[in-house]
Amino acid sequence: MPWLSYQKALNRALGDELARDPAVFVLGEDVRVAVSNVTAGLLKRFGPDRVLDTPLSEQAFTSFATGAALGGRRPVIEFQIPALLYLAFEQIVNQAHKFSLMTGGQTRVPVTYLVPGSGSKTGWAGQHSDHPYALFAHAGVKTVVPATPEDAYGLLTTAIRDDDPVVVFAPAAALGVRVDVDFDALAPVPLGVGRVHRAGEDVTVVAVGHLVHDALAVAEELAGDVSVEVFDPRTVYPFDWDGLAASVARTGRLVVVDDSNRMCGIAAEVVATAAERCDLTAPPVRVTRPDGAVVPFALGLDLAVQPDRAQLTAAIQKVLKQ
Amino acid sequence: MALLTTVAAHAPDTDVGLYRTVRLIRRFEERAVELVRSGDIIGGIHPYTGQEAIAAGVCAALRLDDMITSTHRGHGHVLAKGADPARVLAELAGRATGLNKGRGGSMHAADFALGILGANAIVGANGAITAGAAWAARQSGGDQVAVSFFGDGAVNQGVLLEAMNLASLWRLPVLFVCENNGYATTLTVSDAVAGTITGRGEAFGMPSATVDGMDPRTVLAAAREAVDRARAGGGPSLVECLTYRFDAHHTWEHKARVRYRDDAEVLSGRERDPVEIQGVRLAGGERARVDAEVESMMDTAVAFALDSPHPDPVGALDHLYATGMRARPGGGG
């Protein structure tokens, strides 16, 4: 079977959806030459009316997409840098997200906001390294953070077909992941359905995005001593609460590894919901970025604020002691 | 289905039609203010009184399938584009029969069947939405024009300036209508705007004109020229309409008594009244007939709004997601 990289999976999903539905179009900065590679080849296949290079006007082109969606289109906006979402937060959260309710259901806003390269790319410093998926989950905007190439394909496809705004975070640390896959088996992945990557009995590790791969590596390292279940929510909003509850019911212990800042991050919500719904035999532990982290430039400093395998290993050992 | 005969059914670009629209908006706003005072409309409104000629003149230049986006001071635009006054008023009163089923209120009235893509409560936010809607229509092979209404306060919002750049760059069929009533809430244009408003349009290569926004005929003529140009592929225009807000920025002022315009200025500003300017163009009997028709329509609208049911709180978050997805409940549960 052929190899598929995460980045190529995004490219393939875009191409397949552009081919399938004439209402779909892509817009963003430098998308015609495909600076991020995610839109490579699309201009040649679909022409300039389906692949729009925009001026550096994030606020305007984000709401331009909303207007086009009101007119029946399905725009996909590529944001090269995760922090650009802060510039367009008003346009996504306060405009696109609210049109359905505020108009009493008269319209829909099927826009996809794609961030290929979210989180730290190491070396890009304070304003290019954030991972703000929890902000959109908090605001109620559908938000996905795929971990694998096949889920990147399936969730981006679903996001484009969904009638509501959806933010797709493609972590920089996952873009190079490759799998041996049958292209014909690639399929849409429903929102709000998690995936147990590795079954286990002693502890549930909820891992978000690229951290799924770290969690699997740690689970393998500890395999002789501890049976770790790795649960990937895939969609952080809506979250697969039933899937989480089922996993924790099997293990009774919970660790969450999440590239959000600690305060009000996804890990906080997972732990809170587990405390409300599940019968935990030990206090849960979060492995996250620090509160209010600004990613510093120097490599060692950048890595110091990212959740890592050593922290996850220690967290697993901690919950098992109780 | 419209319960009341709407503007679009009445040749709105004639002298009688223009008068009928400005008179309808005036009486709608006056009746709405009464309902704010009686407590039937919560949250208050931003009265459009004094600015009626702009909505009437611009919308009279539009086709039924053209589109508009509006502002926090949006009742006039929505009515002039043809929305049913009874359902607009029911929306203001938060009733299930309102245009938005009571989910939007005064600042978010929308009627997509009439090309009313929503009033918007964030100043300057609608320009880019308008540009996107205009682009989508053109991509579909249509020749619709989309109008973005905004006030003088919006011309210092970056997103609106970005939207003007996009619209002009891509020669989109958009009309930017600035209603310059002299004040962004309480801040005067001279204290807020460097350069000129038309200078902003000119900077993006758009035909830009300043017109008397108190005369419906003048506004109609300016809008028609810009709309025709946009429909023919000539790109966007900016029309700055000079006007005066007769009433408060928001009905909140009726109680708060914020002082930023002295009585002499308000009296002077109200001397040129669009309802009178257009009214004298009608024969006496014709004017009286339209007035009576509008009065009757507003009586019906008020009765309809107040007799309509309140929405069921069980459905408070209905329509949150177009897909029907339900959010987790709040409360303790």
Side-chain angles (χ1 to χ4, degrees):
Chain A
M1 288 193 291
W3 286 92
L4 178 69
S5 75
Y6 190 117
Q7 191 170 59
K8 189 66 187 167
L10 295 174
N11 176 255
R12 194 176 180 89
L14 286 175
D16 286 356
E17 288 308 291
L18 281 159
R20 190 188 63 81
D21 182 353
V24 176
F25 71 102
V26 178
L27 71 161
E29 291 154 355
D30 312 302
V31 294
R32 286 183 177 160
V33 299
V35 160
S36 73
N37 259 327
V38 164
T39 52
L42 299 181
L43 175 65
K44 193 174 173 192
R45 277 179 74 192
F46 300 102
D49 283 354
R50 307 283 302 283
V51 184
L52 274 65
D53 263 344
T54 59
L56 308 190
S57 304
E58 288 83 10
Q59 298 185 339
F61 69 63
T62 302
S63 270
F64 175 91
T66 299
L70 298 179
R73 303 279 149 170
R74 289 188 177 273
V76 181
I77 309 179
E78 184 195 315
F79 291 93
Q80 281 179 17
I81 301 160
L84 296 179
L85 293 170
Y86 300 146
L87 273 173
F89 204 64
E90 200 281 323
Q91 287 72 26
I92 299 172
V93 169
N94 204 35
Q95 301 289 338
H97 171 56
K98 293 185 177 173
F99 260 76
S100 178
L101 183 139
M102 291 197 308
T103 64
Q106 290 182 58
T107 192
R108 55 190 189 169
V109 184
V111 181
T112 302
Y113 312 94
L114 172 61
V115 190
S118 59
S120 174
K121 298 190 195 60
T122 57
W124 290 71
Q127 293 178 331
H128 276 34
S129 305
D130 285 358
H131 223 161
Y133 45 80
L135 291 182
F136 293 92
H138 178 77
V141 179
K142 295 176 180 176
T143 303
V144 305
V145 193
T148 67
E150 60 271 33
D151 282 346
Y153 179 92
L155 287 166
L156 178 55
T157 301
T158 301
I160 294 169
R161 295 182 189 179
D162 197 273
D163 277 344
D164 290 310
V166 183
V167 188
V168 178
F169 286 90
L175 289 179
V177 172
R178 283 153 46 102
V179 289
D180 196 10
V181 69
D182 176 3
F183 285 174
D184 291 338
L186 293 172
V189 171
L191 302 186
V193 179
R195 173 177 175 185
V196 175
H197 283 270
R198 180 188 178 109
E201 295 168 2
D202 298 330
V203 57
T204 296
V205 172
V206 174
V208 179
H210 60 290
L211 295 170
V212 167
H213 304 290
D214 294 297
L216 288 168
V218 167
E220 184 61 28
E221 281 169 21
L222 299 177
D225 305 318
V226 188
S227 173
V228 176
E229 177 146 314
V230 176
F231 179 80
D232 169 9
R234 301 196 284 191
T235 310
V236 295
Y237 187 88
F239 198 96
D240 183 359
W241 297 121
D242 291 342
L244 172 76
S247 178
V248 174
R250 286 192 287 276
T251 63
R253 289 183 169 82
L254 175 64
V255 171
V256 188
V257 57
D258 165 29
D259 199 25
S260 302
N261 292 348
R262 197 172 189 81
M263 172 68 85
C264 300
I266 290 299
E269 181 57 39
V270 172
V271 165
T273 301
E276 285 177 334
R277 280 188 59 169
C278 303
D279 190 13
L280 290 166
T281 56
V285 176
R286 287 178 279 168
V287 180
T288 65
R289 292 187 181 192
D291 275 359
V294 175
V295 174
F297 167 67
L299 180 59
L301 305 181
D302 178 314
L303 294 175
V305 300
Q306 310 297 323
D308 65 23
R309 293 181 186 182
Q311 292 167 339
L312 177 57
T313 303
I316 291 168
Q317 287 164 345
K318 185 178 175 188
V319 295
L320 284 166
K321 278 185 191 154
Q322 302 186 40
Chain B
M1 190 185 71
L3 293 168
L4 296 171
T5 319
T6 58
V7 165
H10 280 260
D13 58 345
T14 61
D15 270 340
V16 177
L18 287 170
Y19 177 72
R20 188 176 179 282
T21 306
V22 295
R23 178 75 185 175
L24 171 64
I25 299 170
R26 174 66 53 88
R27 290 299 294 140
F28 183 95
E29 293 297 63
E30 289 171 348
R31 297 296 289 269
V33 167
E34 288 171 19
L35 294 178
V36 170
R37 291 195 171 128
S38 65
D40 291 299
I41 293 174
I42 59 166
I45 63 167
H46 299 83
Y48 192 64
T49 321
Q51 304 181 204
E52 297 92 341
I54 304 167
V58 170
C59 291
L62 299 179
R63 292 193 322 224
L64 208 57
D65 63 342
D66 287 331
M67 297 169 282
I68 66 164
T69 61
S70 175
T71 72
H72 54 284
R73 198 179 308 287
H75 312 157
H77 311 131
V78 172
L79 292 169
K81 189 64 173 66
D84 179 347
R87 294 195 59 215
V88 181
L89 201 59
E91 186 59 36
L92 269 51
R95 304 305 173 108
T97 56
L99 277 186
N100 307 28
K101 301 179 185 169
R103 267 70 177 178
S106 167
M107 292 194 285
H108 301 295
D111 191 337
F112 277 69
L114 295 169
I116 301 165
L117 309 186
N120 205 303
I122 300 299
V123 169
N126 68 5
I129 295 170
T130 313
W135 178 86
R138 189 175 71 185
Q139 292 302 110
S140 302
D143 66 347
Q144 293 101 308
V145 172
V147 178
S148 166
F149 289 101
F150 52 88
D152 48 271
V155 305
N156 301 315
Q157 287 279 25
V159 66
L160 179 62
L161 301 174
E162 290 180 15
M164 288 182 180
N165 182 61
L166 273 191
S168 191
L169 187 70
W170 294 340
R171 294 184 75 77
L172 299 176
V174 174
L175 172 54
F176 293 97
V177 177
C178 178
E179 307 191 11
N180 179 358
N181 66 17
Y183 291 87
T185 308
T186 67
L187 192 68
T188 62
V189 166
S190 60
D191 283 337
V193 180
T196 63
I197 291 173
T198 50
R200 283 153 170 73
E202 288 157 3
F204 299 113
M206 268 191 271
S208 303
T210 303
V211 303
D212 176 10
M214 303 307 266
D215 185 338
R217 273 187 188 169
T218 305
V219 175
L220 170 60
R224 189 165 266 160
E225 182 188 330
V227 166
D228 288 350
R229 179 166 51 238
R231 208 183 300 288
S237 306
L238 169 66
V239 177
E240 176 192 16
C241 300
L242 299 177
T243 185
Y244 194 76
R245 163 162 61 69
F246 285 8
D247 200 335
H249 164 69
H250 182 270
T251 46
W252 161 81
E253 273 177 42
H254 293 165
K255 286 181 180 166
R257 304 278 174 213
V258 185
R259 299 295 296 176
Y260 57 94
R261 310 192 295 188
D262 62 37
D263 293 344
E265 182 201 301
V266 175
L267 275 174
S268 153
R270 295 178 69 127
E271 273 173 15
R272 295 190 69 241
D273 182 335
V275 176
E276 290 308 312
I277 287 171
Q278 191 60 24
V280 298
R281 292 171 179 154
L282 270 59
E286 184 75 347
R287 184 174 178 177
R289 184 189 64 74
V290 173
D291 287 354
E293 182 199 342
V294 166
E295 223 45 41
S296 159
M297 193 187 301
M298 286 313 307
D299 286 343
T300 306
V302 171
F304 174 79
L306 297 184
D307 290 346
S308 289
H310 294 274
D312 184 347
V314 168
L317 286 184
D318 284 356
H319 313 295
L320 178 57
Y321 298 99
T323 53
M325 186 179 97
R326 306 303 295 194
R328 274 195 296 176

